Amino acid sequence: MFKTVPGKFNFLPARSAPTANSGIIGWAKTNLFSSPLNVLLTLIGMYLIYKTIPPFISWAIIDASWGYGDRTLCEQANEAAGRSTACWTYVRVRAEQILFGPFYGQNTDEIWRPILVFIVFAAIIAWLLTERTPFKGYVAAFSLIFFPFFAFAFLHGEWLGLKIAPTGQWGGFMLTLVIAVTGIVAALPIGILMALGRQSDLPVFKALSVIFIEFWRGAPLVTVLFMASVIFPLFFPAEVDFDKVARALIAITLFQSAYTAEAIRGALDALPKGQGEAADALGLGYWHKTLFIILPQALKISIPAIVNTFIELFKDTSLVYIIGLLDLLQMSRATANSLEWRGVSDITAFVFAALIFFMFTSAMAAYSRNLERKLDTEHKN
Amino acid sequence: MLGVISQVLIAGALIGFLTWIYFNTVENLNQRGIPTGFGFLNQVAPFKVGFSPFLDFELGVSSYWRVFFIGVQNTIFVSILGIIAATILGFLVGIMRLSPNWIVSRTAMVYIEILRNIPLLLQILFWNFAVFLPSLPLPKASMTFLDTIFLNNRGLYIPKIIAENQTSGLIIIAFIVAAIIGTFFLRKWAKQRHDLTGKRFPVYITGFFGIIAAGFIGIVVTGFPLSLELPRLGRFNLAGGIEFPLPLFSLWFALTTYTSAFIAENVRGGIQSVAKGQTEASSALGLKRGHTLNLVVIPQAMRVIIPPTISQYLNLTKNSSLAVAVAFEELFAIWSGISLNQTGQALVIIAMTFLVYQILSIIISGGANYYNKRSQIVGR
C-alpha cells in the first residue's frame, strides 16, 4: 500500500502509449509487418489487390456503359476503354425481364402486381424480424394462411379478373423467390413431422421417417427435379395435370423437408433431456408434451440451422432450369444471349445475377449468425 | 394401444397410396406404349461417349450397360479429383483465414464469402462460358509446357503412360501396393516406439517417398517397360495422350473452389474450437510453436473439422451432377439425360440414377460415422 503525504506528492499524468505501438503505425506493425514472413505476405497481398481491385472497379464502374439505350452504347464504352467493360445499359433495358420474367417483361404496365406482392412480403418479414413488434404470432399465422393466396391472386391474376399471367411464363427473380419461399414454408410442417417421427418410439413412424429423410438427402436436387418432371406425371391419372412450376414446387418441398427435418432433429437432440422428463412427470400426454414443451423450445433453437438450409435452397433454386424454368440466372443468360445483346453483355449478366444472389444469401447468413449468437448467450446461465 | 392403431392406419394408407400409384403408372405406360424393363440395357448405344478415363467405349458395339458404368465412373472420377483439390485448397484458405496478417486473413474472408454465397451453377457456367472458353486459345495455338502438356479451349492434354505388356505393369503396381502396406506397418512400429521411448519418426514423409521409390524400383526391375504417349498437335486438334475436356476442367475447377470455401470455414471453426489453455499448457511444457500446432492443436481440431468436411465431400459428389450444364458426361448428364432421351425408359433410368447416388452417399456417410465412432473422446 502506498502512503502519500497530501500536498507534497503529485502523481504524474499517465503518458500516452508510444507511437510505435499505437495508432495506425502500431496497428500496421502488429497486423501487417510482425515478422519477415508477414512482410513478404503483406507485399504479395498488396500486389494482388493492386492487380485485381482497380481493374475491377474500372471495369464495373468507371469505364462501364451506364446510359439507357441499345448495344451501341456498350460498344462505344468498350472502344473507349480499349477492352470489354460492364454493360449496365443492358441491365437497365432488360431489368423487367430479368427480375419479373417473360410475362411481366412484356406487359410492363402489369408490373405493379409482383412489386405489390413483394412489398407486402418484405413488410411481413420486417415485422417478424424486428424486435419488440407486437402480435408477432398473429402476424405469422395470418400471413402463413392468407399470404400464399394473396400472392397467387396477384401474380397469376385470374381470381381478380386481371390479365392472366400463366405460370409457364413466370420467371426471373420473382420465380426464384416464389420457389424458395414456398419451398421453405411448405417444407416446415413436413420437416417437423419427420423429425418427430425419427425420434418416435413407434417403429412404423420411425422407419418411414428415416427412409423419407435419407432418400431425399441422398440424391442431388437435379435428379429430384428431373424425377418430378418425368416420373410424377406417370404416377397420377392422365387427367391430373401439373404445370412445370407446380412440379418444381413439389420436388423442392419434398427435398427441402428432409433438410428441415434434420435441422429440427439437431435442435431436439440439443434440448436438455430434463424438459421432456419433467413434462412426463407432470403427467402430460405425448401431444401436450410435444406441442407445449418440446416444440416451442426446439423450433426456437433450430432457427439458425433452418435459415442455413434456406440459404442452400435459395442458391439451389437456380437448378430449376433443368425442367425448363427460367429463374433469375437463366433469365439473365437468356436475355444476354439474345440477338440484341449477344457479345457485349454476357459477363455483365453473370455479375448482375451473382450480385443479387450474393446480397440475399449474405444478408440471411449474417442474420443467422446474429441469431445464433443471441440464442447462445440466452441459453448460457 | 392408440400408437398401434395409428401405425396400422398410416401403414395401410401408405400401402393403398402406393398401390394406387402403381396402377396409375401401369395404365399410363400402357397408354404410351412404352414397354418398361431392363432389356434395353443390353442394346447397343447409338451415340458417342467422349470422355472415359478407364472403361473403353466403342461406338456401335458398346451397350447401354457400358454407358451407365461410364457415367458412374466419370461421376466418381470428377468427385475424387474435386475432393482432393478442395481439401488442399480449403485447408490452405482456412489457415490463411486465421493468419495474424490482416491482409491475408481478409483476402481469405473475401474468398470464402464470395464463393459461398453465389449458386454453384452460376459459378460453373461463369468459369466455363465467360472465362475459360473465351480466354483459352484455339487448338492450333495451344498453350504448351515443353510440348508435353497442352491447354486450349477444348481441354487439357497430358501424356499417357503405356505399359508395354501387362505383367510388367502388374509387377510395378505390386511394388507400389507393397510400399503402401509397408507404410502402415511403419506407422504401427513408429507409434509403438513413440509410446515406449517418446522418440518421433517422420512416418508420412518416409512413406510418401518410399512409395515413389518403390514405383521407381519396380520400373527399373522390369526393365523400363513404360513409354509415354505424348499429345501431338494435328491440323485441327490434338491427338494422343489423355484428354481432359474443357467441361470437365471447368466443372472440376468450380466444384473445387466452391467446396473449398466451405471446408475453409470448417477448418477455421475447428482450430478456433481448441481451447486456448491447450496452447498455453503446451508452451508451458516447453513445446516449440511448430510442435504445439502439430501435436496439440491440430489433432484436437481434426475431430471438429473432419465430420462436416466429409459431409462437404458428399455435397461435392452430389453437386457433380450439375455437369449437365456444361455437358460433361457424368452419370446424370449421360444417363438421365442422353440415354433417357434415346430410350424413353424413364422409370428404370431414373431409379438407377437414384440408386447410384444413394449408394455413394451411404458409402461417404458410412465413412463419417466410422470416423466419429473412432475419434469419440472416451469418457472416464
Side-chain angles (χ1 to χ4, degrees):
Chain A
M1 286 290 121
F2 289 106
K3 277 187 183 166
T4 51
V5 186
K8 274 192 178 177
F9 220 87
N10 284 325
F11 284 109
L12 290 173
R15 277 191 284 174
S16 57
T19 41
N21 293 329
S22 66
I24 237 173
I25 299 170
W27 180 85
K29 221 173 151 185
T30 46
N31 289 305
L32 297 178
F33 304 108
S34 57
S35 68
L37 177 70
N38 269 336
V39 173
L40 185 71
L41 288 176
T42 302
L43 291 179
I44 294 174
M46 281 177 166
Y47 178 75
L48 283 179
I49 290 171
Y50 170 74
K51 273 293 187 191
T52 50
I53 304 291
F56 180 75
I57 289 176
S58 65
W59 177 86
I61 298 171
I62 299 169
D63 294 341
S65 152
W66 288 93
Y68 190 94
D70 58 8
R71 62 178 288 149
T72 49
L73 283 180
C74 293
E75 281 162 358
Q76 281 164 9
N78 287 354
E79 253 170 59
R83 63 199 165 83
S84 104
T85 60
C87 178
W88 300 117
T89 309
Y90 144 78
V91 173
R92 287 184 63 181
V93 174
R94 293 303 187 105
E96 287 101 353
Q97 270 173 305
I98 299 175
L99 295 178
F100 301 109
F103 176 84
Y104 291 105
Q106 272 157 15
N107 304 280
T108 39
D109 44 341
E110 302 283 330
I111 251 174
W112 60 271
R113 284 153 54 181
I115 291 179
L116 173 73
V117 172
F118 185 77
I119 288 174
V120 172
F121 175 69
I124 294 171
I125 294 294
W127 188 274
L128 294 179
L129 293 193
T130 319
E131 278 177 61
R132 282 193 280 278
T133 42
F135 314 122
K136 270 207 176 76
Y138 291 108
V139 172
F142 203 70
S143 42
L144 266 182
I145 297 166
F146 291 106
F147 184 72
F149 296 102
F150 169 80
F152 185 79
F154 276 95
L155 292 182
H156 189 263
E158 193 181 358
W159 295 348
L160 299 175
L162 296 163
K163 196 171 177 189
I164 294 175
T167 53
Q169 290 199 39
W170 290 10
F173 187 56
M174 183 187 95
L175 183 67
T176 299
L177 271 186
V178 166
I179 291 176
V181 173
T182 316
I184 189 76
V185 173
L188 199 60
I190 308 179
I192 292 174
L193 278 183
M194 290 300 148
L196 289 175
R198 200 169 183 161
Q199 305 252 319
S200 162
D201 300 327
L202 306 174
V204 173
F205 288 141
K206 187 169 180 145
L208 288 179
S209 310
V210 170
I211 292 172
F212 180 89
I213 293 173
E214 295 306 328
F215 181 75
W216 299 115
R217 267 163 38 102
L221 182 56
V222 279
T223 56
V224 176
L225 282 166
F226 203 65
M227 189 183 84
S229 122
V230 181
I231 304 277
F232 278 4
L234 290 178
F235 283 170
F236 297 97
E239 308 89 68
V240 184
D241 191 29
F242 299 111
D243 61 13
K244 278 185 198 164
V245 176
R247 286 177 201 172
L249 288 179
I250 294 172
I252 283 194
T253 303
L254 290 172
F255 184 79
Q256 180 64 17
S257 56
Y259 287 86
T260 311
E262 283 300 275
I264 294 171
R265 183 171 77 117
L268 289 173
D269 283 343
L271 212 62
K273 242 186 168 166
Q275 295 290 327
E277 288 168 353
D280 287 338
L282 286 173
L284 296 182
Y286 177 78
W287 287 109
H288 277 114
K289 178 177 86 173
T290 309
L291 284 180
F292 298 119
I293 310 289
I294 305 283
L295 274 185
Q297 300 183 62
L299 285 182
K300 190 177 160 199
I301 46 178
S302 70
I303 293 176
I306 292 179
V307 174
N308 285 342
T309 66
F310 182 57
I311 294 172
E312 294 303 306
L313 174 72
F314 189 74
K315 288 186 291 175
D316 279 350
T317 51
S318 55
L319 306 188
V320 293
Y321 96 99
I322 205 89
I323 57 173
L325 290 174
L326 297 168
D327 75 312
L328 170 63
L329 173 59
Q330 296 306 322
M331 208 60 223
S332 24
R333 286 191 76 214
T335 48
N337 285 331
S338 63
L339 271 181
E340 194 188 340
W341 295 102
R342 182 175 295 169
V344 290
S345 59
D346 40 354
I347 295 185
T348 315
F350 279 121
V351 172
F352 181 65
L355 207 64
I356 293 184
F357 274 115
F358 182 82
M359 276 177 358
F360 276 79
T361 46
S362 54
M364 287 187 283
Y367 171 74
S368 154
R369 270 197 299 269
N370 197 3
L371 196 66
E372 222 163 329
R373 209 171 303 136
K374 219 169 69 185
L375 293 175
D376 201 27
T377 48
E378 273 177 15
H379 278 263
K380 274 179 194 156
N381 295 320
Chain B
M1 193 57 212
L2 201 67
V4 177
I5 295 172
S6 63
Q7 289 191 72
V8 170
L9 279 180
I10 289 285
L14 193 70
I15 291 169
F17 181 66
L18 290 178
T19 334
W20 183 67
I21 281 183
Y22 173 77
F23 283 114
N24 283 332
T25 312
V26 170
E27 196 189 314
N28 282 324
L29 287 174
N30 280 340
Q31 268 177 5
R32 298 182 194 192
I34 311 170
T36 298
F38 293 90
F40 78 98
L41 287 164
N42 292 318
Q43 287 170 15
V44 171
F47 49 85
K48 195 170 172 292
V49 178
F51 178 75
S52 174
F54 302 109
L55 298 168
D56 290 325
F57 183 85
E58 209 177 319
L59 185 64
V61 178
S62 301
S63 65
Y64 276 106
W65 269 122
R66 186 42 73 91
V67 174
F68 170 70
F69 283 118
I70 287 177
V72 176
Q73 163 208 258
N74 287 354
T75 291
I76 296 174
F77 183 73
V78 71
S79 303
I80 290 178
L81 288 186
I83 284 172
I84 294 171
T87 308
I88 297 170
L89 193 60
F91 271 77
L92 198 71
V93 176
I95 290 168
M96 278 169 69
R97 181 74 183 82
L98 290 173
S99 161
N101 187 315
W102 188 81
I103 284 190
V104 173
S105 76
R106 284 299 133 133
T107 311
M109 190 187 89
V110 170
Y111 174 92
I112 293 170
E113 288 304 318
I114 289 180
L115 288 172
R116 272 205 320 177
N117 286 323
I118 294 174
L120 176 61
L121 178 65
L122 197 158
Q123 297 189 30
I124 294 175
L125 293 169
F126 176 77
W127 292 120
N128 193 61
F129 291 113
V131 177
F132 294 137
L133 208 53
S135 62
L136 291 175
L138 291 170
K140 264 192 305 189
S142 295
M143 292 196 271
T144 176
F145 176 73
L146 299 176
D147 275 337
T148 49
I149 298 173
F150 293 85
L151 183 66
N152 59 43
N153 67 9
R154 298 238 182 123
L156 175 75
Y157 299 77
I158 61 168
K160 189 179 189 176
I161 301 169
I162 298 175
E164 271 161 26
N165 54 50
Q166 235 176 355
T167 37
S168 47
L170 285 178
I171 291 173
I172 295 169
I173 292 173
F175 264 92
I176 294 173
V177 171
I180 293 172
I181 294 169
T183 309
F184 275 103
F185 280 107
L186 184 71
R187 198 179 80 166
K188 209 174 158 191
W189 169 79
K191 191 173 181 308
Q192 269 172 2
R193 195 181 74 147
H194 181 242
D195 289 348
L196 286 174
T197 65
K199 280 181 192 155
R200 298 187 55 76
F201 186 81
V203 178
Y204 293 103
I205 295 173
T206 319
F208 179 71
F209 285 108
I211 291 165
I212 291 177
F216 190 70
I217 292 168
I219 295 172
V220 172
V221 166
T222 48
F224 295 98
L226 302 179
S227 57
L228 282 182
E229 185 191 286
L230 296 180
R232 271 187 324 279
L233 199 56
R235 248 236 319 276
F236 299 110
N237 208 349
L238 286 140
I242 301 175
E243 180 195 353
F244 293 105
L246 190 69
L248 168 62
F249 185 72
S250 313
L251 175 72
W252 169 79
F253 188 86
L255 282 175
T256 300
T257 47
Y258 182 77
T259 313
S260 75
F262 289 89
I263 294 180
E265 276 297 276
N266 296 343
V267 170
R268 181 180 73 100
I271 292 180
Q272 281 181 340
S273 76
V274 178
K276 212 173 174 197
Q278 297 286 327
T279 329
E280 290 168 352
S282 54
S283 46
L285 286 173
L287 265 68
K288 280 183 249 164
R289 200 180 138 66
H291 279 160
T292 306
L293 259 183
N294 281 329
L295 304 176
V296 179
V297 177
I298 289 180
Q300 298 186 67
M302 277 313 209
R303 199 166 17 226
V304 182
I305 294 172
I306 286 181
T309 300
I310 293 180
S311 83
Q312 285 306 322
Y313 293 167
L314 178 57
N315 283 346
L316 187 147
T317 309
K318 291 195 288 178
N319 283 336
S320 70
S321 56
L322 296 188
V324 68
V326 286
F328 169 65
E329 294 142 320
E330 50 68 72
L331 180 67
F332 182 74
I334 205 177
W335 194 240
S336 290
I338 302 171
S339 302
L340 179 59
N341 272 340
Q342 290 285 336
T343 62
Q345 296 286 347
L347 275 181
V348 174
I349 281 182
I350 289 190
M352 284 171 84
T353 313
F354 256 85
L355 193 68
V356 171
Y357 283 113
Q358 298 289 352
I359 291 173
L360 288 178
S361 86
I362 287 172
I363 292 173
I364 295 175
S365 46
N369 289 341
Y370 173 74
Y371 178 84
N372 282 342
K373 249 192 207 115
R374 228 191 54 171
S375 69
Q376 248 166 18
I377 302 174
V378 184
R380 265 182 268 194

